[in-house]
Amino acid sequence: MADSAEVREAMRSLGRRLASFRRAVRLSQEALADKVHYGRSTVASVEVGLQNAVEAFWQRADDAVAANGELLRAYRSLVELRAAENRAAASVFAMPSIDRRVLPQPSRPAAAYVPFLPAALDRPALDWLVGEDPRRPVRDGCRLDEAFVVEAERRLATLRDRDHQLGAGAAYPDVMGFLQTDVRRLVAISPADGPIGRRAHTVALGAFELAGYQAVDLGADGVAQQHYLRALALTGAEGDRLYGAYLLAVSIGHLALHCGHPHRGLRMVQTAIQGGGPATTPLVGAALHAVLARAHARLGEERKCSNALAVAEASLSRADVDDEPPWVRYLSPAYLADEVAHCLFDLGHYEPARREIDQAVAGVGASRVRRLAIDTALLASTLARSGRVDEACARGREATDLARRTTSMRTVQRVAQLRLDLSPYEHEREVVDLFDYLHEVLPAAG
């Protein structure tokens, strides 16, 4: 969770205690992973405080390292601390009304100090599910001509391309400017106003979604939450179940997973699948079930993950792209291979994950520098965790070169994770050279 320094330090402290107990009983991370039925990646991330784990993990870990309940008690204290902070933060967090004349205020990465609040997701998700939204749109009688909407569509496409190529640091200010100018006018009309209204609605939602995605890329998870919830409320007010389901699962569900809350992410995607109902197209269904698989993988639920991936693959095979909404047509076999790779990686199946990453990278265009950087770093991590250190370092250098071409915090985080995965080999010549290179050209990851 992107929470307070106190919570983050408590997570690191708990991880250090686990590592100390594990070493005392002479267990490797792989051996402990087998005993707790999670992947080694989970154990490694927990030990350095980068990832939360559920109570079942700590129960098994406590038994495995003979901690006599100490780890479990410390975990429950951490849960209580986080819950107290969430309650305090939720008391001052209020979803703004979807007044069409009031748009998000944060306009710079400094908004990263806004916390991500998992407890603030449940009510908006329930409101969307049952179709209740007291914040009805405010109409001002605005009418837009087609030329304005066409230009807004073009501008959104340009901003998306720039984001894919360079990362959010290069595009977020322009996206915020877009929200405060063109989108301010676009949200003043309704999809019920005819074809122009429907197109304006889609552009407005796409702009909010892009702003949220970029906030994640900047490390501003709380700001991303605000953007996504505004978009979700807008779909609820307009009765757009299909885009609402997509936002709830793919945007908000992924955000919860990214912030270390797999149970909350699972709840969001399950709500989306239930609420999407017959309106869900095959491609959107594939996207929803891919996130469902990611949540199950993060929880170590391999069978459920496999079942969700099977549904996603079957849905993708049935999809006719021409019959799908334009905003989901990016979902290709290469994109799904990327999701499968992350699932396998989280489950500790590194060789199958490597094969899926190869397929994903082969299907990504050269202009998608951020995606190439993240996937190449993930590939390097699979090699590192398989003991193929020379290959991991070679791929790690490629990932570093790609990451330095972006302004994406996510790429930096992914390369930093690779550095952690290579830490058991930190005295080998190839690893020392890679770490020196990281410090030189991508110091934030070093």
Side-chain angles (χ1 to χ4, degrees), residues 124-131 232 235-236 239-249 266-281 284 288-289:
L126 179 60
D127 286 345
W128 174 84
L129 178 63
V130 300
L232 182 68
T235 66
D240 190 345
R241 304 299 291 177
L242 188 60
Y243 212 148
Y246 176 87
L247 284 165
L248 190 57
L266 179 63
R267 190 181 310 162
M268 294 300 105
V269 71
Q270 288 172 333
T271 302
I273 291 171
Q274 179 183 355
T280 304
T281 65
V284 174
L288 268 55
H289 282 85

Side-chain angles (χ1 to χ4, degrees), residues 224-388:
Q225 181 179 22
Q226 292 182 347
H227 286 311
Y228 286 151
L229 289 180
R230 285 176 169 89
L232 182 68
L234 184 57
T235 66
E238 298 292 6
D240 190 345
R241 304 299 291 177
L242 188 60
Y243 212 148
Y246 176 87
L247 284 165
L248 190 57
V250 179
S251 298
I252 296 174
H254 259 143
L255 176 62
L257 294 178
H258 172 74
C259 292
H261 295 275
H263 283 295
R264 192 81 59 170
L266 179 63
R267 190 181 310 162
M268 294 300 105
V269 71
Q270 288 172 333
T271 302
I273 291 171
Q274 179 183 355
T280 304
T281 65
L283 214 52
V284 174
L288 268 55
H289 282 85
V291 187
L292 181 65
R294 290 286 298 273
H296 285 308
R298 193 66 61 82
L299 290 167
E301 298 169 346
E302 187 166 348
R303 181 181 59 81
K304 292 179 179 179
C305 173
S306 297
N307 291 342
L309 287 175
V311 175
E313 291 167 354
S315 297
L316 180 60
S317 69
R318 294 197 311 271
D320 182 342
V321 173
D322 292 336
D323 294 334
E324 295 285 342
W327 41 265
V328 75
R329 292 178 186 173
Y330 70 87
L331 206 158
S332 64
Y335 178 90
L336 187 56
D338 177 89
E339 295 282 55
V340 174
H342 280 86
C343 289
L344 293 170
F345 185 85
D346 286 342
L347 290 168
H349 302 317
Y350 303 124
E351 183 59 26
R354 185 190 62 77
R355 292 194 294 268
E356 294 292 339
I357 299 168
D358 286 340
Q359 181 182 343
V361 170
V364 174
S367 65
R368 300 292 182 99
V369 179
R370 178 177 54 204
R371 174 52 56 195
L372 287 172
I374 291 172
D375 281 350
T376 303
L378 180 63
L379 175 57
S381 283
T382 67
L383 294 166
R385 295 188 183 190
S386 300
R388 297 160 64 174

Side-chain angles (χ1 to χ4, degrees), residues 16 22 47 70 82 97 117 157 164 177 192 209 232 244 252 297 306 324 327 335 371 390 396 422:
R16 289 192 294 267
R22 174 179 60 76
E47 286 192 348
E70 181 176 333
R82 181 179 289 113
S97 168
L117 302 173
H164 287 311
E209 180 195 349
L232 182 68
I252 296 174
S306 297
E324 295 285 342
W327 41 265
Y335 178 90
R371 174 52 56 195
D390 291 354
L422 283 168

